[in-house]
Amino acid sequence: MRSYRALFRTPEFTPLFLASGTQIAAQTVAGLALATLVYRATGSPLLSAVSMFGPSLAQVVGATFLLSAADRLPPRAALTALSLSFAAFAAGTAVLTAPGLPLWPVFALIFLQGLTASVGGGVRWGLLNEILPKDGYLLGRSVLNMTSGLAQIVGFATGGALLTVLSPRTALILAALLHIASALLTGVGLTRRPPRALGRPSPSVTWRTNALLFSSRPRRLVLLALWIPNGLVVGCESLFVPYDPTAAGTLFACAALGMVVGDVTVGRLVPPPRRRRLGHPLLVLLAAPYLLFALHPPLPLAAALTTLASVGFGASLVQQERLMSLTPDTHAGHVLGLHSAGMLTMQGVGAAVAGAVAQTTSPGVAIAVMAGGSLAVTTVLAAWGRDGGGGRGAGRRGRRTRAGGGRGGQVKGNSPSRHVS
């Protein structure tokens, strides 16, 4: 499957595509509104960054205790419930940020949102693994990544415009309505299907599967490459509000535009043999332009640098294709959830570290520091990969065990997104 036309002719892909895009737009509007509220109330770059990317920090808890649910819940019901819970979180945040109220309940709600979302990546990407044929997964995932980028462009642009004429709390209510629309698209457009694996989800099952997936050195290196450089660069992005409060929406939209360009190039235009060699060069591109933010460039140059850097997010497509080639079919949803949860956790860590550095220096200097850290990690991981000699760490692919039978044992080649996915 190499054409977009064939992809959208696949049953259930279109409603999943629309629901994902709507949910991401809702998250971007809500994140920008909440970061603006917190920054106005506190003047703190750290609290502003954590409020926007804080849900990602809770992903590590979900990945530790809840991730086995990704293959053991009915996908349609799980995704619908997740969208409704996000609507409740957005509405609740709008209430809790009223003047005079303490901020700690807001951060408690942010933690619960991240904990809930930790299962969502595995459910969604595991379902995509079910919907598409083996040779269509990479293209489908790249399209959903592009949807993420476009939805972020629309969400940040809309959110920035709304914040000039409406209050941030009104923008949060709009985000809640978008989450409800996503739940309707999921509930109506997707087919009811059984869980992908038998058994009850539990912390012990999650721990055992995590240990199994991390026991392979090649797979472990791919996961680290997916998590850490990406997370440190998102730390750069988390400082856009304090870097330029009046133009943060523009910088976020440029970042999303660059991500779309990277996903189109890697997912559709680059042939597979050449694509496999692009992983580390794209990670270098992802961070290097942000080094110039130490000079506090004017907005047009900052926007161009942000767009160029975000093309490097296409590295995730290359890395995830490698990850799926190393993973048994029985753990496809779990490993995709582990990738998503670990990536979002590191994004939250990156935002917190970037905010802390900015507190003692300046947003521009902190952005350059985070970019330098990302480049250092990419260099170390590339050296470890060469020293390890590659290897095939997954063993044979297993047959998928599913309640109620159905199609067995296919692992599709792959991709994600940056923040949401």
Side-chain angles (χ1 to χ4, degrees):
M1 181 180 288
R2 291 293 299 169
S3 73
Y4 294 128
R5 180 176 299 178
L7 185 66
F8 281 95
R9 285 177 176 171
T10 304
E12 298 186 83
F13 180 79
T14 298
L16 182 64
F17 166 84
L18 294 174
S20 297
T22 303
Q23 180 173 311
I24 292 163
Q27 289 173 332
T28 55
V29 170
L32 183 59
L34 182 57
T36 303
L37 267 174
V38 171
Y39 189 67
R40 288 178 182 176
T42 66
S44 169
L46 173 60
L47 293 179
S48 174
V50 171
S51 67
M52 188 167 191
F53 294 94
S56 303
L57 289 169
Q59 295 275 340
V60 66
V61 180
T64 303
F65 295 100
L66 305 177
L67 199 51
S68 60
D71 289 315
R72 291 169 172 82
L73 293 175
R76 184 180 69 175
L79 291 177
T80 302
L82 284 169
S83 293
L84 292 175
S85 69
F86 293 152
F89 290 138
T93 303
V95 173
L96 292 174
T97 52
L101 293 179
L103 282 179
W104 70 262
V106 174
F107 288 97
L109 197 61
I110 287 171
F111 176 81
L112 289 176
Q113 179 180 351
L115 195 64
T116 303
S118 64
V119 180
V123 175
R124 181 176 297 105
W125 307 131
L127 177 61
L128 185 65
N129 201 44
E130 297 269 325
I131 290 173
L132 296 178
K134 182 175 182 179
D135 63 348
Y137 187 83
L138 176 62
L139 184 62
R141 187 65 185 270
S142 70
V143 167
L144 290 182
N145 283 358
M146 288 185 281
T147 304
S148 172
L150 292 171
Q152 288 177 40
I153 293 171
V154 173
F156 283 126
T158 302
L162 287 174
L163 292 176
T164 63
V165 296
L166 300 174
S167 71
R169 291 179 189 82
T170 303
L172 286 168
I173 297 300
L174 173 62
L177 295 176
L178 288 172
H179 280 305
I180 292 173
S182 177
L184 290 174
L185 287 167
T186 300
V188 173
L190 297 180
T191 300
R192 182 179 179 182
R193 49 172 33 94
R196 287 180 293 274
L198 297 173
R200 296 175 58 186
S202 69
S204 62
V205 173
T206 301
W207 299 335
R208 287 196 301 270
T209 308
N210 285 346
L212 173 65
L213 292 172
F214 239 69
S215 65
S216 162
R217 187 175 190 272
R219 190 163 51 222
R220 184 166 62 248
L221 290 176
V222 174
L223 285 169
L224 291 174
L226 281 163
W227 293 345
I228 302 177
N230 178 302
L232 294 174
V233 168
V234 171
C236 300
E237 296 180 1
S238 72
L239 296 175
F240 284 167
V241 171
Y243 180 81
D244 191 340
T246 62
T250 298
L251 292 176
F252 280 120
C254 288
L257 175 62
M259 188 173 66
V260 170
V261 173
D263 284 333
V264 171
T265 303
V266 175
R268 183 68 179 88
L269 302 179
V270 178
R274 185 175 301 174
R275 184 170 63 225
R276 286 190 288 269
R277 298 192 294 268
L278 291 179
H280 290 295
L282 285 171
L283 285 180
V284 172
L285 177 63
L286 180 63
Y290 283 116
L291 295 174
L292 296 178
F293 272 68
L295 304 177
H296 208 284
L299 178 60
L301 179 56
L305 291 171
T306 299
T307 304
L308 177 62
S310 294
V311 174
F313 280 114
S316 65
L317 288 169
V318 181
Q319 295 158 342
Q320 288 181 65
E321 187 171 38
R322 169 72 170 156
L323 179 64
M324 294 306 290
S325 73
L326 294 169
T327 302
D329 289 358
T330 48
H331 301 310
H334 192 116
V335 78
L336 290 170
L338 185 63
H339 148 58
S340 179
M343 179 188 68
L344 292 173
T345 296
M346 287 308 303
Q347 288 178 2
V349 170
V353 172
V357 175
Q359 289 279 101
T360 58
T361 57
S362 70
V365 170
I367 288 172
V369 169
M370 301 304 290
S374 179
L375 287 171
V377 171
T378 295
T379 301
V380 170
L381 290 174
W384 285 353
R386 287 192 297 269
D387 291 343
R392 302 181 67 86
R396 294 186 178 273
R397 299 180 184 223
R399 181 181 299 275
R400 178 174 303 162
T401 302
R402 293 174 50 187
R407 189 176 65 185
Q410 292 186 25
V411 167
K412 286 84 178 165
N414 157 286
S415 140
S417 131
R418 184 184 54 212
H419 307 201
V420 253
S421 299

